[in-house]
């Protein structure tokens, strides 16, 4: 049974989540604040965490940081805060996804299933050198991309960006993190760089760049590689 830890201080929302999750045969624990959440996470070892940012005793970002100190459990943030700064802070702290309230239960359950599925799929092991998709192959050791029978010429910047994404399959990488890693702190607000380079990567690797299958944009938040 997949165990879900719901961290939320709104009793009505907690009740709705518990009913819907239990009806789909999830095991559910609920915590009304961050302190209880961290204690329950250590005791119950959940498979996924649904986390509200606006908790009565601490900021949800601090809960994420506390969890990330010892576990890679998927963390899905549920929050009414719609500012991109809040989303980026949660993602940079280690959240895997961000769902804005109000949300449909079907969307939440789909995101939860996707998060659990990603943990069940084998992540890239340290030392893995080959990432293969139906559309292209990335050789991390040789720093080479192949599409069909042809090598794809990538610039060093395109390669660095692609490398970060493909070595974190399924994980949403924030714009801020990518900008810092690829261009450095001085360019950390130049989101137009990302749009340009991601468009170039899609033209070179995707079958239909306008409807990408592998290099996915989460508007205002970041990018993910779906293998």
């Amino acid at each position: 049974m997949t165990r879900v830890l719901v961290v939320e201080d709104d009793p009505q929302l907690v009740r709705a989540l518990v009913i819907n999750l239990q009806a789909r045969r999830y095991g559910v624990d609920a915590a009304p604040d961050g302190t209880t959440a961290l204690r329950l996470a250590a005791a119950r070892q959940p498979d996924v965490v649904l986390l509200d940012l606006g908790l009565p005793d601490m900021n949800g970002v601090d809960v994420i940081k506390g969890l990330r100190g010892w576990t890679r459990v998927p963390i899905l943030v549920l929050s009414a805060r719609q500012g991109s700064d809040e989303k980026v802070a949660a993602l940079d702290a280690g959240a895997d996804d961000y769902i804005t309230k109000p949300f449909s239960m079907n969307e939440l359950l789909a995101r939860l299933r996707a998060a659990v599925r990603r943990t069940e799929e084998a992540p890239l092991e340290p030392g893995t050198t080959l990432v293969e998709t139906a559309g292209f192959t990335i050789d991390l050791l040789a720093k080479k991309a192949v599409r069909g029978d042809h090598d794809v010429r990538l610039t060093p910047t395109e390669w660095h960006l692609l490398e970060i994404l493909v070595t974190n399959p399924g994980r949403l990488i924030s714009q801020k993190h990518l900008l810092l890693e690829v261009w450095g702190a001085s360019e950390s607000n130049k989101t137009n760089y990302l749009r340009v380079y991601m468009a170039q990567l899609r033209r070179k690797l995707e079958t239909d760049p306008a409807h990408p299958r592998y290099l996915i944009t989460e508007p205002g938040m970041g990018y993910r590689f779906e293998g």
Side-chain angles (χ1 to χ4, degrees):
M1 179 185 288
T2 300
R3 295 212 65 81
V4 181
L5 173 59
V6 176
V7 187
E8 169 64 63
D9 64 339
D10 179 344
Q12 287 184 309
L13 180 54
V14 171
R15 184 170 181 272
L17 288 169
V18 169
I19 289 170
N20 277 276
L21 290 166
Q22 288 182 339
R24 290 160 178 82
R25 302 188 182 280
Y26 289 98
V28 188
D29 296 299
D33 54 55
T35 305
T36 307
L38 293 171
R39 178 176 55 78
L40 273 177
R44 303 288 284 171
Q45 301 284 313
D47 298 294
V48 63
V49 176
L50 301 180
L51 172 69
D52 180 29
L53 290 183
L55 299 171
D57 62 337
M58 67 174 74
N59 190 305
V61 171
D62 293 324
V63 177
I64 296 170
K65 291 176 180 176
L67 291 170
R68 284 292 172 254
W70 61 274
T71 178
R72 297 306 306 164
V73 63
I75 301 172
L76 279 64
V77 168
L78 313 176
S79 181
R81 303 175 185 179
Q82 298 191 28
S84 61
D85 288 349
E86 299 278 359
K87 296 176 182 179
V88 168
L91 292 168
D92 282 344
D96 294 270
D97 208 343
Y98 194 109
I99 304 167
T100 303
K101 297 177 182 176
F103 51 81
S104 78
M105 196 60 68
N106 283 340
E107 179 190 3
L108 172 67
L109 291 166
R111 300 268 196 109
L112 187 149
R113 287 193 299 272
V116 171
R117 190 165 59 246
R118 285 196 295 271
T119 63
E120 291 170 346
E121 294 168 353
L124 291 178
E125 295 293 333
T128 295
T129 62
L130 210 58
V131 178
E132 296 181 280
T133 74
F136 54 86
T137 300
I138 306 297
D139 187 329
L140 294 167
L141 192 62
K143 293 189 179 295
K144 187 171 77 170
V146 177
R147 181 178 170 195
D149 297 324
H150 304 286
D151 287 356
V152 179
R153 294 175 65 88
L154 297 178
T155 68
T157 300
E158 289 169 351
W159 177 264
H160 194 177
L161 187 57
L162 180 64
E163 188 176 40
I164 294 169
L165 292 168
V166 302
T167 53
N168 291 277
R171 183 172 173 78
L172 179 58
I173 310 295
S174 72
Q175 293 177 341
K176 181 180 177 183
H177 180 81
L178 289 169
L179 286 164
L180 283 170
E181 287 290 322
V182 179
W183 284 278
S186 63
E187 309 293 341
S188 61
N189 62 343
K190 302 291 182 64
T191 55
N192 57 307
Y193 288 7
L194 284 173
R195 286 194 295 274
V196 169
Y197 278 90
M198 287 300 294
Q200 290 174 191
L201 282 172
R202 287 179 180 133
R203 278 196 298 272
K204 292 179 178 184
L205 296 173
E206 295 276 5
T207 303
D208 183 357
H211 302 90
R213 160 69 180 82
Y214 302 103
L215 302 170
I216 309 300
T217 301
E218 291 284 354
M221 296 166 66
Y223 300 87
R224 75 169 99 231
F225 168 70
E226 294 290 354

